[in-house]
Amino acid sequence: IDHAIAFIESRNQHPFFMSLWTLEPHAILAPTEEQMAPYTELTHPSVKGKFWGSETVYYASLTDIDRHVGRLIDYLESAGLRENTIIVFTSDNGPSPLWSKATGHAGAGSAGPFRGVKGSLYEGGVRVPLIVSWPRQQERGIDTQTVISAIDFLPTLATLAGIDTSEIMNDRDGEDLADALTGKSALNRSKPLFWDYRAGNWGRDIQRSPRLAIRDGDWKLLMNPDGSRVELYNLANDRSETSNIADYEVEKRDEMIAELMDWFETQVPDNSNAMPFAGQKVWRAPGDNP
């Protein structure tokens, strides 16, 4: 935050763009005892003084993020920049789980009703908070309809800044969703979203998704490149992705498989380079090799 404020101060009245990433809540979390003090009641009394509960560690870290983001917003207000600065607050993936070695002490994040965590293509792994604030131009409200991805930020923010995106978006996948971010209207995407997670799943079996996914409107299909583990969900009816209807919605399934595999085979570079267990769902006993 100190570097961010110094950067804005050095802009010499010019418009600016800043991408600011905090370490927290990524592992390993190590808040001070002072930061954890307000949340000590979340640690069981019998271990206080010896150990800290995961919720104590996690909430102390989130509070620290909140405090420092508040410092940045206070600076923008004092500098007269708050009204015309667009702030986008989001995350890169869902919460780290308790069964990770790095977050076993602090994996108290929750994806709510959504299946999956970090490292999964289920909604709990890819659906993240998105808060946008632009006091001068934006009406307050909540949009539960528009599906926005990070690939949309370039054309959307360019449009909000008054930049013609017709040329810069010729070979890019993002869409201009400026109207949704300014609260004018919810929007439907004209193109589906695709994912390829080749690093390999980890954790409990129910969280281990197939390697590939496509979302088109309310429909979402997941599968492995070899055709195994085909799963189809209608998120409007099944946001927790627990009722696989691939055997019943055959026409929709085959249509989405064709579109996903065309993307994978023609647009994904080096698509054979993946961890050997990517997309696999094989229960392992503690101590087994992955």
Side-chain angles (χ1 to χ4, degrees):
I1 297 297
D2 290 340
H3 286 295
I5 292 173
F7 168 75
I8 298 172
E9 287 179 333
S10 68
R11 79 192 200 290
N12 294 323
Q13 303 302 313
H14 294 296
F16 65 92
F17 171 84
M18 180 173 62
S19 184
L20 172 64
W21 301 88
T22 68
L23 171 65
E24 297 87 355
H26 192 281
I28 294 172
L29 300 182
T32 65
E33 291 195 12
E34 181 183 2
Q35 290 168 329
M36 290 188 288
Y39 303 104
T40 55
E41 74 277 3
L42 299 175
T43 295
H44 195 278
S46 65
V47 297
K48 281 183 182 179
K50 300 178 181 179
F51 306 104
W52 295 104
S54 60
E55 288 186 325
T56 297
V57 175
Y58 187 73
Y59 293 147
S61 300
L62 290 188
T63 300
D64 195 47
I65 296 173
D66 187 61
R67 182 171 70 88
H68 286 290
V69 171
R71 287 177 51 217
L72 178 60
I73 293 176
D74 287 345
Y75 166 75
L76 292 173
E77 291 179 344
S78 67
L81 298 171
R82 180 69 186 92
E83 286 293 305
N84 201 33
T85 297
I86 303 169
I87 297 176
V88 179
F89 188 90
T90 187
S91 181
D92 57 347
N93 51 247
S96 294
L98 279 169
W99 56 81
S100 163
K101 290 181 181 179
T103 56
H105 69 299
S110 171
F114 303 110
R115 179 181 181 181
V117 290
K118 176 181 179 179
S120 170
L121 295 183
Y122 294 121
E123 290 296 282
V126 298
R127 186 187 294 220
V128 297
L130 175 61
I131 304 169
V132 181
S133 174
W134 188 15
R136 179 175 292 184
Q137 299 288 342
Q138 188 185 56
E139 297 181 8
R140 293 189 177 187
I142 299 174
D143 179 355
T144 62
Q145 303 300 317
T146 305
V147 179
I148 297 178
S149 170
I151 61 172
D152 303 318
F153 288 162
L154 173 59
T156 299
L157 294 175
T159 294
L160 295 178
I163 299 171
D164 183 1
T165 63
S166 57
E167 292 188 8
I168 63 175
M169 292 309 299
N170 283 340
D171 60 346
R172 292 177 171 86
D173 297 323
E175 299 190 18
D176 179 1
L177 301 175
D179 281 352
L181 291 195
T182 52
K184 294 178 181 177
S185 64
L187 300 173
N188 294 320
R189 305 187 65 84
S190 63
K191 297 180 290 186
L193 292 170
F194 299 92
W195 290 266
D196 174 16
Y197 186 71
R198 58 180 73 178
N201 291 336
W202 43 288
R204 295 170 181 158
D205 262 12
I206 194 173
Q207 313 288 15
R208 294 176 182 239
S209 70
R211 176 181 161 184
L212 305 178
I214 174 176
R215 176 169 180 176
D216 190 1
D218 289 328
W219 292 98
K220 183 175 175 185
L221 180 135
L222 303 95
M223 65 180 290
N224 286 324
D226 63 3
S228 63
R229 294 193 63 193
V230 177
E231 302 177 16
L232 178 66
Y233 304 101
N234 186 303
L235 297 177
N237 303 323
D238 179 23
R239 63 179 180 172
S240 296
E241 296 169 289
T242 55
S243 298
N244 181 7
I245 55 176
D247 290 339
Y248 307 100
E249 296 286 349
V250 177
E251 184 176 350
K252 173 58 72 173
R253 178 199 67 192
D254 292 347
E255 171 191 320
M256 296 185 75
I257 288 176
E259 194 167 10
L260 176 58
M261 292 310 298
D262 177 69
W263 169 79
F264 178 73
E265 293 170 355
T266 63
Q267 297 188 51
V268 176
D270 198 18
N271 61 25
S272 63
N273 183 17
M275 297 294 288
F277 52 90
Q280 300 304 307
K281 186 177 180 181
V282 180
W283 184 85
R284 302 197 310 269
D288 288 353
N289 292 324

